[in-house]
Amino acid sequence: MPLIDTTVLDELDDELAGSGLARRFARDYAAMWDTRLSRLGTAVDSQDEASALDAVISLKISSAMVGGVRLAKLAEVLEALIRQGDFVQGRAMMAGVAHDGARTVSELQSTFILEQG
């Protein structure tokens, strides 16, 4: 599964008549990555189901909206684990989430944010 499906943001940009909002959305997503990851990691580590669900659903939806298909899928799997109360496996997944998230942000920056800039 690819990290990024760039057609998602290209289509959003087309729908917004090339207004630059899609690029700003991608830039904001990239800028918020560390905060999102920290919030999710803290909630999973503390086994705070409500906060973990809030954070992982936010990650899943925002990742899908920027075309981060691999990260959105990881978030979906993590969401299922959280709903099952399996925080041991959830913690084990966090390294993959962190790794793919950083790569997703990097890919967004090089293929959409800078390219469209």
Side-chain angles (χ1 to χ4, degrees):
M1 177 177 290
L3 280 172
I4 298 286
D5 177 356
T6 57
T7 62
V8 172
L9 284 170
D10 289 337
E11 288 172 3
L12 180 59
D13 195 46
D14 288 346
E15 288 175 19
L16 297 170
S19 65
L21 287 175
R23 184 167 43 101
R24 278 181 269 172
F25 180 72
R27 192 179 304 138
D28 290 348
Y29 176 90
M32 292 176 60
W33 168 246
D34 289 335
T35 301
R36 272 197 177 104
L37 180 62
S38 176
R39 183 172 160 238
L40 178 59
T42 298
V44 169
D45 284 345
S46 65
Q47 299 186 19
D48 181 341
E49 184 176 350
S51 294
L53 281 173
D54 185 53
V56 78
I57 290 168
S58 173
L59 176 62
K60 178 179 73 173
I61 292 169
S62 61
S63 296
M65 290 176 67
V66 297
V69 291
R70 188 181 309 171
L71 190 56
K73 183 60 178 172
L74 276 175
E76 184 179 307
V77 172
L78 181 55
E79 177 186 358
L81 291 172
I82 293 166
R83 289 186 186 280
Q84 295 167 10
D86 189 350
F87 285 94
V88 171
Q89 189 65 27
R91 273 195 292 279
M93 282 194 68
M94 287 303 298
V97 169
H99 177 74
D100 280 355
R103 291 182 59 214
T104 297
V105 167
S106 178
E107 187 78 12
L108 274 174
Q109 290 171 330
S110 65
T111 63
F112 189 79
I113 297 170
L114 295 178
E115 177 183 285
Q116 300 291 319

